[in-house]
Amino acid sequence: MSDNIEKISESMAKLTLKWLSAEDEFPDVRKHNNHMAKVLNLEMYKKLRERVTPNGFTIDGVIQTGVDNPGHPFIMTVGCVAGDEETYEVFKELLDPVIEARHGGYKPQDKHKTDLKSENLKGGDDLDPNYVLSSRVRTGRSIRGFCLPPHCSRGERRAVEKLSVEALDSLSGDLKGKYYALKNMTEAEQQQLIDDHFLFDKPVSPLLLASGMARDWPDARGIWHNNNKTFLVWVNEEDHLRVISMQKGGNMREVFSRFCTGLTKIETLFKERGHAFMWNEHLGYILTCPSNLGTGLRAGVHVKLPNMSKHAKFEEVLKKLRLQKRGTGGVDTAAVGGVFDISNADRLGFSEVELVQMVVDGVKLLVDMEKRLEKGQSIDDLMPAQK
Amino acid sequence: CLKAIMPFGNTHNNFKLNYKVEEEFPDLSKHNNHMAKALTKEIYGKLRDKQTPSGYTLDDVIQTGVDNPGHPFIMTVGCVAGDEESYEVFKDLLDPIISDRHGGYKSTDKHKTDLNFENLKGGDDLDPNYVLSSRVRTGRSIKGYTLPPHNSRGERRAIEKLAVEALTSLDGEFKGKYYPLKSMTDAEQEQLISDHFLFDKPVSPLLTCAGMARDWPDARGIWHNDSKSFLVWVNEEDHLRVISMQKGGNMREVFRRFCVGLQKIEEIFKKHNHGFMWNEHLGYILTCPSNLGTGLRGGVHVKLPKLSTHAKFEEILTRLRLQKRGTGGVDTASVGGVFDISNADRLGSSEVEQVQLVVDGVKLMVEMEKKLEKGEAIDSMIPAQK
């Protein structure tokens, strides 16, 4: 190796690049509409650019996706991500206000409650299957000690996969299943997973791509599901783990019960191997996107509401019930044939049981309203108070 | 939290060293690009703890090649430079790639730069019934700044500022105007699209995976002269892309304007103590190793409906050291028998030599086309390997 290279490689401290000022570097987010752009200012940027997490994640890493994706006038995206657990602490001056704006006024000193005891849910086993076509609960989990998808290296990602597969392979009973690594899937396996609506694709959303989550695709990514196809885990997509419980029909109680049992078992298996999930009493479960903090939970149904969805007060009812609607393709898709995806709007500041309760109670009410409207009757007396 | 070591140290690169080479080494088993062919575990192990003065690492160099496995028929490069020093710090990987891509170019070879347009012979008489337009482009990187995969917003803005100062001081046939992408009016945008000048936010994953589209459209823009025959792109895939073009077959004039304009721009940059990145081994330093040397692509849009369907078309192109593309540029198909024909080489021959190959080669191919139109054979015209 020449003297020249040796000198260059020797030490980071001898970097010679002249560092430009905060004003020179500050992103132009004047026309941007996302939470990061609304919160970030020059003084904050000046302060935060001098910090780095222990794993080397910087403020520019946090905000890149929000700079690259100006957003939409009607949809407020988050515009920032965490690269590791420490991001939420090191860059709290930015992330606390983003969290507050996104999570209904959640304050830096607030405490988040975790409740994964499915017995605490009231009812939920009798949503009318003529209207409620399917029920699903998902969340994410991050494994402490590893960087998150925007920042992790191939070695880390593979270690997360290895640990996850070991844990999942030791599940038994109705949770017994199999792992399908994306990179060695056969054509037949791939087709089956597509037909089951289990297969996840390489991200195409610029929101995800700009944050670096698709690097090295499909290395160390995969899908695990149980033999009954009611419990599914995505490995290394937008989070280390995405855990999904689902089934046809309206028995949300059963879906949630399987969800809690499965999650708790997985957590125990990880702990036995010396790895906990990232969690703290302020932010609950730590995930890549600040919008998924707390429970990371989205519980929802595909429900037929052709009349209700055209009612002038549909949006208002959803808001009062603390629910949101999506098309049946998931986030940013349109409803087809009057069938909507209705789920909890909140993630942080409420427990899992509380959120699923809102879905169960809210959907029950929406279906009652739909039935009224079918008969040409009014629904004014059914209007809920703000939850 | 840690206080960042300013200028930045690459903490994450050191953190990765906790994992073994085998654990971090990318899976390139299904890949077909130059990087995948050249990268071994030994090279990876040797270079993975290194970084350039600006903090660019081996994983950064190769990311685009890991993310884009390539195509069985098209051999992409699969790596980029983040700064001038990348080519030195990571030479154990980049030298074999450069050799493979640039016809066996050795790490000891010297590259010749010749921007004296008078040295070109002929080139003013390509038949305009066949040669519809002529164009020469190259790229330039400004010394002292890192390259598009790695540069910060502040650096990119400084490059834009310098570029605009240099360009707006040009006069005569080079007098023109700069249109920053982010403050373009709708009317200006329409006009630039009609003129085929506007460049879009990169969608090619080859570019986006290398980080070149970050902060778009901040500090990106297009400058062109009033006659619309000299055009500069600022902060797209390279700091500067310089293009000279016009309708018809007068490549000599296009090349003259190209050389004169480039040299004027270079003088102005030098005055500000920011010359272009260049060295006597690799010539002009650009982001993609495929553009080293001259960075020059001189080409024409030419009607070759008969010749292009001839069995020996590909062979003729190879012997003439030319390549064909569709009229939309790289990775597009030809339309109506009109092809984009340009030099295949970039490194190891000079600008004049490369444009000479285009001029002579296109002249020959037009003559072949004419023969084929008359139903005559072209066997006696097949050239020797240049």
Side-chain angles (χ1 to χ4, degrees), chain A residues 360-374:
Chain A
V360 156
D361 297 346
V363 169
K364 196 158 195 185
L365 179 63
L366 286 167
V367 170
D368 287 343
M369 286 173 155
E370 179 69 24
K371 288 172 174 172
R372 285 271 191 104
L373 292 172
E374 270 172 27

Side-chain angles (χ1 to χ4, degrees), chain B residues 95-123:
Chain B
D95 279 353
I97 291 172
I98 288 168
S99 180
D100 206 11
R101 179 64 176 213
H102 293 283
Y105 196 76
K106 292 194 259 309
S107 51
T108 46
D109 285 340
K110 299 270 179 280
H111 172 80
K112 206 175 4 175
T113 292
D114 181 0
L115 283 159
N116 294 320
F117 65 91
E118 293 110 329
N119 292 343
L120 183 71
K121 299 189 193 33

Side-chain angles (χ1 to χ4, degrees), chain A residues 112-298:
Chain A
H112 171 79
K113 206 176 0 174
T114 293
D115 182 1
L116 283 159
K117 298 199 183 66
S118 60
E119 343 43 296
N120 291 345
L121 183 72
K122 299 191 197 27
D125 53 356
D126 62 350
L127 298 173
D128 187 339
N130 292 310
Y131 294 82
V132 180
L133 308 178
S134 61
S135 307
R136 180 183 188 267
V137 181
R138 69 87 159 149
T139 190
R141 290 292 185 264
S142 307
I143 303 170
R144 186 160 276 163
F146 296 96
C147 293
L148 297 173
H151 192 49
C152 65
S153 71
R154 280 180 297 274
E156 288 184 279
R157 209 185 289 111
R158 290 164 178 173
V160 166
E161 184 192 36
K162 189 161 183 283
L163 272 169
S164 304
V165 173
E166 271 178 37
L168 294 166
D169 278 350
S170 62
L171 291 173
S172 59
D174 71 319
L175 293 177
K176 189 165 162 55
K178 185 179 167 183
Y179 182 68
Y180 302 86
L182 246 56
K183 74 176 174 179
N184 5 345
M185 213 172 267
T186 68
E187 292 276 337
E189 287 169 340
Q190 186 171 290
Q191 196 50 59
Q192 188 59 60
L193 288 165
I194 291 173
D195 294 338
D196 292 327
H197 304 288
F198 283 176
L199 190 64
F200 63 90
D201 251 332
K202 178 171 179 175
V204 293
S205 164
L207 299 175
L208 297 183
L209 295 176
S211 65
M213 291 189 227
R215 288 170 302 126
D216 314 309
W217 202 274
D219 197 306
R221 271 83 167 191
I223 292 165
W224 179 96
H225 69 78
N226 66 350
N227 297 332
N228 302 340
K229 298 185 181 179
T230 54
F231 193 73
L232 169 66
V233 178
W234 290 351
V235 179
N236 286 319
E237 192 235 11
E238 183 184 333
D239 284 292
H240 288 165
L241 302 174
R242 282 287 178 100
V243 178
I244 302 152
S245 169
M246 59 206 274
Q247 67 195 48
K248 297 269 181 224
N251 194 345
M252 181 60 94
R253 188 179 186 79
E254 187 167 84
V255 169
F256 186 53
S257 167
R258 184 187 312 114
F259 176 82
C260 294
T261 304
L263 254 183
T264 313
K265 284 211 159 88
I266 294 171
E267 182 160 19
T268 306
L269 291 165
F270 268 100
K271 283 205 175 125
E272 278 166 12
R273 288 159 177 77
H275 288 279
F277 290 149
M278 289 183 198
W279 180 94
N280 68 51
E281 60 172 8
H282 166 51
L283 295 176
Y285 289 101
I286 302 294
L287 294 175
T288 304
C289 182
S291 69
N292 282 321
L293 291 166
T295 59
L297 184 142
R298 194 172 91 84

Side-chain angles (χ1 to χ4, degrees), chain B residues 41-97:
Chain B
K41 287 209 176 102
E42 292 64 44
I43 293 175
Y44 186 77
K46 188 175 176 191
L47 296 180
R48 72 180 186 131
D49 61 346
K50 307 284 181 289
Q51 54 192 324
T52 66
S54 71
Y56 207 62
T57 66
L58 180 67
D59 282 328
D60 295 324
V61 171
I62 67 174
Q63 189 69 58
T64 183
V66 176
D67 288 348
N68 295 290
H71 193 276
F73 304 153
I74 302 172
M75 194 68 164
T76 47
V77 176
C79 57
V80 292
D83 50 23
E84 189 166 8
E85 297 83 352
S86 294
Y87 287 104
E88 187 59 34
V89 174
F90 304 111
K91 67 193 336 282
D92 289 344
L93 173 66
L94 294 172
D95 279 353
I97 291 172

Side-chain angles (χ1 to χ4, degrees), chain B residues 189-250:
Chain B
Q189 188 170 292
E190 275 307 310
Q191 188 60 59
L192 287 165
I193 291 172
S194 314
D195 292 328
H196 304 288
F197 283 175
L198 190 64
F199 63 91
D200 250 331
K201 178 170 180 175
V203 292
S204 163
L206 299 176
L207 298 183
T208 53
C209 292
M212 292 190 227
R214 288 170 303 127
D215 313 309
W216 201 275
D218 198 307
R220 272 81 167 195
I222 293 164
W223 178 96
H224 70 76
N225 66 353
D226 296 337
S227 343
K228 297 185 182 179
S229 56
F230 193 75
L231 170 65
V232 178
W233 290 351
V234 179
N235 286 320
E236 194 236 11
E237 183 183 334
D238 285 293
H239 290 167
L240 304 175
R241 281 288 177 99
V242 178
I243 302 152
S244 170
M245 58 207 275
Q246 67 193 49
K247 296 270 181 223
N250 194 346

Side-chain angles (χ1 to χ4, degrees), chain A residues 1-2 4-5 8-9 12-13 15-17 19-20 23-28 30-31 45 49-56 58 60 63-64 67-68 90 145-147 151-156 158-159 183-184 202 214-217 219, chain B residues 1-12 14-16 19 22-27 30 44 49-55 59 62-63 66-67 85 88-89 91 144 146 152-155 157-158 182 201 209 213-216 218:
Chain A
M1 194 163 50
S2 78
N4 193 39
I5 302 171
I8 289 168
S9 318
M12 316 179 241
L15 300 183
T16 58
L17 180 68
W19 195 37
L20 298 164
E23 289 78 11
D24 289 335
E25 294 290 356
F26 190 69
D28 183 354
R30 289 168 299 172
K31 292 189 194 132
Y45 183 71
R49 72 194 288 252
E50 291 190 25
R51 300 187 195 154
V52 67
T53 69
N55 307 306
T58 64
D60 284 326
I63 67 173
Q64 190 67 58
V67 176
D68 289 349
V90 173
F146 296 96
C147 293
H151 192 49
C152 65
S153 71
R154 280 180 297 274
E156 288 184 279
R158 290 164 178 173
K183 74 176 174 179
N184 5 345
K202 178 171 179 175
R215 288 170 302 126
D216 314 309
W217 202 274
D219 197 306
Chain B
C1 64
L2 299 185
K3 186 126 168 54
I5 306 163
M6 298 317 303
F8 276 123
N10 198 318
T11 321
H12 194 229
N14 290 350
F15 180 76
K16 287 181 222 171
Y19 291 84
E22 296 73 37
E23 289 166 336
E24 288 290 352
F25 190 72
D27 181 353
K30 298 194 186 115
Y44 186 77
D49 61 346
K50 307 284 181 289
Q51 54 192 324
T52 66
S54 71
D59 282 328
I62 67 174
Q63 189 69 58
V66 176
D67 288 348
E85 297 83 352
E88 187 59 34
V89 174
K91 67 193 336 282
T146 62
S152 68
R153 283 178 294 273
E155 287 188 279
R157 291 162 179 172
K182 73 173 173 182
K201 178 170 180 175
C209 292
R214 288 170 303 127
D215 313 309
W216 201 275
D218 198 307

